[in-house]
Amino acid sequence: MIPAAARTHPAFAYLRAHRGRPATWSDRYTSVFGLLVASAVLGRPVAEAIGGLARHADPGRIGAGFALVAAAYAGFLVLARALGPVVLPAADAAWLVTSPLPRRAVLSRTALLLLSAAALAGAALGLAALSVFGAPGELGVRLAAALVLGVAAGAGGMAAAVLGQQSPAADTRLQFLIAGIFSVAVLAAVSGAGPGRRMLAAVAGAPASLGAAVAGVASVVAAILVRRAWAALGRIPARTILASSTRTARVTSAATTLDPGMLTWVAEDVHWRGRALRSRPWPRPVSRLGPAPALAWQEWLRVGRRPGRLAALLCAAALPAVCANAVGANAVGANAVGANAVCANTAGGAAPAAGVLLCGALTAAAMCTGGVRRDGGDPALARMLAVDGRAATAARAVLPALLTAAWSALALVGLQAVGALPAGPWWALGPAAAPALAAGALRMARRRPVDHSMPVIDTPGGAVPTGPLIWAATGPDIALLGSLPTLAALVTPPADVLPYVAAQAVAGAAVLAAYILRPGRGSRP
């Protein structure tokens, strides 16, 4: 706990007096009334969702569902480690952290907020895990155990992130923990479709008392980690807190008020700052093709210098298959007779994965558009290069199209492997849709910052600013328009996919050609 002398320090008294006006009775009444309305609106859907957990788990879906939950928990730890997690507002971090005030007293408010956020995230993960494994009996005990286990996992993970911020050795252990959780997710996804299905089914059918015991042990471990993290608050180096606070302030400012696209520039600058790159001669075929391919060769070098990111992207091609398997993608059943039966069985598994596939393919294309974004941010440099705009755009569309084609083909092969798609050359939809996705990624790279001066539309759900909506739709609009045949084929899988492949090839090539040849593209870079 915070010592009484620290609580009565004049600096903390000043901060408490200037944090805002004290809450009035009207403020408390509004808060209580809002909670009651939210409980009345959400009470029935939540009760129905909890009641739907009282079922036996599908053995074919446990592995994929558990893999998604484990990957989400690993992502939670990665996010906590990347953001700090202990941060302060920029003004407070500038003078409170470096002052002689007790470090733990300065950071206690942030620590309580982190604990609350970790508890909420852990409870959500616990409910997700319970929905994967099911609750065939003793729903109350299993629900309580899942909530306790999830909260313990969230609080323990956040405490581990705080310890990693205080000590490099603890941060190394946290990185090993994250890698181990990702490995467990991969193992669950692979073994859930084969030899590990019986083991996962046995875990789902374990007695509720065993789950309660595991939750109790996890609670004890989480309590120990939280206590150690609370003790470590006073030993976190000031430079670490200042760096985390500055980084979080930039991310928050870019995401809420300025330009979310600036986040990618921040990440690139952090990665390349202080690195020495070796000078290598360009390949002769590239230099002989002309100025436009030579200009686009920079993106090939950028991707080649970060093989880890490329490997992670290719491994993520399994996500659509895992999602389809988690929502019930036993597509081709033994009792399916005829093409209509196959299509009816496959639609339920492939439709939820269609959005994941298109988002992942667009992300793969957007990884290779740094040069286009640089030209948009520095038009003077782009004019000095004296390269025709259409030729430069066409040359820079090659790498995003190739990478998207490879990623989409791998993802479609995975969907077909888990039975979410019927027999046929479904992989061909990936290369066919790649030009349209590349055009969408190039359009995303050229979009301007968010225009917050645009009007705000009043809707029954509240005020909706049109500036961020238009910014977010710039790029994905033509990608979605050019990928409509692929989306239609994935939502309702046909017996013969070849007509959709032909339609997608025509649509993708037409969208990319229209984007490159649009008026004004040839007169500017």
Side-chain angles (χ1 to χ4, degrees):
M1 297 299 292
I2 302 174
R7 290 197 300 268
T8 58
H9 196 279
F12 294 109
Y14 176 83
L15 290 177
R16 286 193 296 268
H18 290 78
R19 266 177 188 152
R21 63 180 181 85
T24 61
W25 284 105
S26 60
D27 296 334
R28 297 188 181 94
Y29 170 78
T30 303
S31 301
V32 173
F33 182 76
L35 289 175
L36 292 176
V37 171
S39 301
V41 172
L42 300 177
R44 184 172 180 180
V46 171
E48 292 178 354
I50 292 176
L53 298 176
R55 56 172 174 76
H56 290 277
D58 184 2
R61 297 168 54 186
I62 295 178
F66 180 70
L68 290 178
V69 174
Y73 182 60
F76 165 75
L77 295 180
V78 170
L79 181 62
R81 180 176 176 270
L83 293 180
V86 179
V87 296
L88 287 174
D92 292 346
W95 68 282
L96 285 179
V97 175
T98 56
S99 67
L101 294 174
R103 186 69 50 82
R104 189 186 304 171
V106 172
L107 303 177
S108 60
R109 181 182 177 88
T110 301
L112 294 177
L113 293 177
L114 289 176
L115 184 60
S116 302
L120 292 176
L125 288 175
L127 289 178
L130 184 62
S131 66
V132 170
F133 288 99
E138 301 180 7
L139 176 60
V141 177
R142 293 180 184 272
L143 178 61
L147 289 176
V148 172
L149 182 60
V151 171
M158 186 63 73
V162 173
L163 292 173
Q165 191 177 10
Q166 184 265 331
S167 170
D171 183 66
T172 303
R173 291 193 292 269
L174 178 61
Q175 294 182 39
F176 278 111
L177 176 63
I178 294 173
I181 295 175
F182 272 121
S183 302
V184 169
V186 173
L187 183 62
V190 174
S191 63
R197 181 175 298 183
R198 292 184 179 180
M199 182 179 65
L200 293 173
V203 172
S209 58
L210 180 60
V214 172
V217 174
S219 301
V220 173
V221 175
I224 295 174
L225 289 175
V226 169
R227 183 177 179 82
R228 291 186 58 190
W230 179 260
L233 285 178
R235 301 190 301 270
I236 299 180
R239 64 179 184 277
T240 305
I241 300 176
L242 291 175
S244 301
S245 301
T246 303
R247 183 170 58 251
T248 305
R250 289 177 179 175
V251 170
T252 305
S253 177
T256 57
T257 59
L258 296 177
D259 182 12
M262 192 181 71
L263 301 178
T264 56
W265 285 119
V266 173
E268 286 291 327
D269 291 342
V270 170
H271 176 77
W272 294 111
R273 186 181 293 116
R275 294 176 182 266
L277 301 179
R278 292 181 296 175
S279 178
R280 298 176 181 177
W282 286 5
R284 290 185 177 180
V286 175
S287 58
R288 292 177 180 176
L289 289 177
L295 186 64
W297 182 247
Q298 299 174 2
E299 296 299 331
W300 295 77
L301 294 177
R302 184 190 299 268
V303 173
R305 283 170 174 161
R306 301 189 69 176
R309 189 173 65 166
L310 183 61
L313 177 69
L314 295 179
C315 292
L319 280 179
V322 175
C323 293
N325 198 14
V327 297
N330 252 340
V332 186
N335 298 327
V337 180
N340 293 333
V342 172
C343 295
N345 289 334
T346 55
V356 179
L357 189 146
L358 291 180
C359 291
L362 191 59
T363 303
M367 283 180 53
C368 312
T369 57
V372 180
R373 297 182 66 244
R374 184 181 60 251
D375 290 346
D378 192 353
L381 178 61
R383 287 192 293 268
M384 289 176 58
L385 296 174
V387 180
D388 180 69
R390 291 194 179 98
T393 303
R396 281 176 166 161
V398 174
L399 180 58
L402 291 178
L403 189 57
T404 303
W407 195 93
S408 304
L410 289 176
L412 289 168
V413 169
L415 284 172
Q416 201 168 12
V418 299
L421 295 173
W426 285 87
W427 62 268
L429 284 174
L437 295 171
L442 294 176
R443 179 172 165 83
M444 289 172 59
R446 282 195 172 97
R447 58 189 173 187
R448 297 178 179 178
V450 178
D451 186 3
H452 294 281
S453 64
M454 299 188 68
V456 177
I457 302 176
D458 292 329
T459 64
V464 177
T466 56
L469 289 179
I470 294 178
W471 183 91
T474 303
D477 50 358
I478 64 172
L480 183 61
L481 179 64
S483 304
L484 285 179
T486 298
L487 187 62
L490 292 176
V491 172
T492 56
D496 186 9
V497 74
L498 289 178
Y500 288 86
V501 173
Q504 180 57 71
V506 173
V511 167
L512 182 58
Y515 180 76
I516 294 175
L517 300 176
R518 67 176 181 170
R521 178 63 65 200
S523 60
R524 58 186 177 90

